[in-house]
Amino acid sequence: YTALSSNPDAGIFRGNSKLDRTISTNYESGLRLKRKDYDVKSAVFYRYDKNLVDWTYSSDLGPIAGRSANNVDIGNFGVENVIHNNWEYIETTLGYTFLNKASRYDVEDIDASFYVLNYPTHRATFAIIAHPLESVSVRLDSEFRRQVPDSLRDSSQLAYFIASASVSWQIPSVKGLEISAIVENIGKENFEEVPGVPGAGRMAGGVLKWTY
């Protein structure tokens, strides 16, 4: 509704009543090797999206926040690899993804893409989960990414160690009760997930969950 019916000439999200229906074709091949202590998965894929809807920016439209809905034909090629190890007290997961896109928009004068062309060409992740006690889990997640250049992004196109840490405790004396705490973006990385939108900064919180 937002893309088709919004005002095409004003507002943060500007509509386009002439948008066509999206058609996607996907080809994928994968390989998996599973053993007692480790699990390795690898995949290569190509997807072609005809008339995919994107929110784009043009400097001719005024403020940087103005986003217009436009169709784009885009070819996506990617390779993904994930290695998971599971030992008695520790689990680790290492992942790497390569992604490349070739695009052609239905309209000219597109200066930047907020979403479809906002992606990392290289992305590596690492997670480790420790179980020091049967009822306690400690988890650390980290990420490195090299984002494609975008004229709207004020932060660097590189993002290092977007890390989070969490600890959870399943209270043995109360069935189904779990307490957890998490800290997101430990290093206060200022990377802009959406170009032109400031990073969230460091955040901390807790959860009390009871399953019965």
Side-chain angles (χ1 to χ4, degrees):
Y1 172 82
T2 300
L4 289 171
S5 302
S6 293
N7 188 336
D9 300 315
I12 296 178
F13 289 90
R14 304 175 183 184
N16 184 347
S17 61
K18 298 179 181 179
L19 292 173
D20 292 320
R21 183 180 298 274
T22 300
I23 299 175
S24 295
T25 305
N26 188 73
Y27 304 93
E28 181 175 349
S29 179
L31 177 67
R32 183 175 186 181
L33 179 62
K34 189 173 184 179
R35 294 293 185 267
K36 179 181 178 180
D37 295 333
Y38 64 88
D39 188 4
V40 180
K41 292 182 286 187
S42 182
V44 58
F45 66 88
Y46 176 80
R47 188 182 76 244
Y48 181 73
D49 298 311
K50 176 71 174 177
N51 294 321
L52 185 65
V53 177
D54 187 21
W55 294 97
T56 62
Y57 168 70
S58 172
S59 57
D60 295 334
L61 296 180
I64 194 171
R67 311 176 188 202
S68 298
N70 285 297
N71 283 131
V72 56
D73 296 337
I74 190 161
N76 310 267
F77 172 76
V79 178
E80 183 178 43
N81 300 282
V82 178
I83 302 174
H84 179 77
N85 292 286
N86 190 358
W87 295 287
E88 184 176 2
Y89 298 109
I90 293 179
E91 300 175 53
T92 63
T93 303
L94 178 64
Y96 169 74
T97 302
F98 168 80
L99 184 61
N100 184 63
K101 298 185 180 186
S103 62
R104 182 175 63 83
Y105 286 90
D106 284 353
V107 295
E108 298 180 354
D109 302 323
I110 299 297
D111 294 322
S113 164
F114 282 96
Y115 301 106
V116 173
L117 296 185
N118 173 34
Y119 69 96
T121 52
H122 301 278
R123 179 175 180 265
T125 58
F126 177 71
I128 182 170
I129 305 175
H131 305 280
L133 299 173
E134 185 177 353
S135 60
V136 177
S137 297
V138 180
R139 177 171 183 136
L140 175 67
D141 291 274
S142 60
E143 175 185 355
F144 164 83
R145 61 168 64 194
R146 177 186 290 273
Q147 207 81 358
V148 294
D150 193 303
S151 60
L152 296 176
R153 180 171 285 108
D154 293 325
S155 68
S156 171
Q157 311 296 342
L158 293 176
Y160 298 94
F161 303 118
I162 303 177
S164 66
S166 64
V167 57
S168 62
W169 178 34
Q170 295 180 336
I171 301 177
S173 59
V174 182
K175 184 179 179 180
L177 183 60
E178 179 180 334
I179 300 175
S180 60
I182 186 170
V183 179
E184 298 276 4
N185 194 5
I186 296 174
K188 297 182 70 174
E189 173 69 47
N190 65 348
F191 176 73
E192 297 178 355
E193 292 278 355
V194 178
V197 178
R202 183 188 295 145
M203 296 181 293
V207 176
L208 177 63
K209 183 171 66 174
W210 187 21
T211 304
Y212 62 92

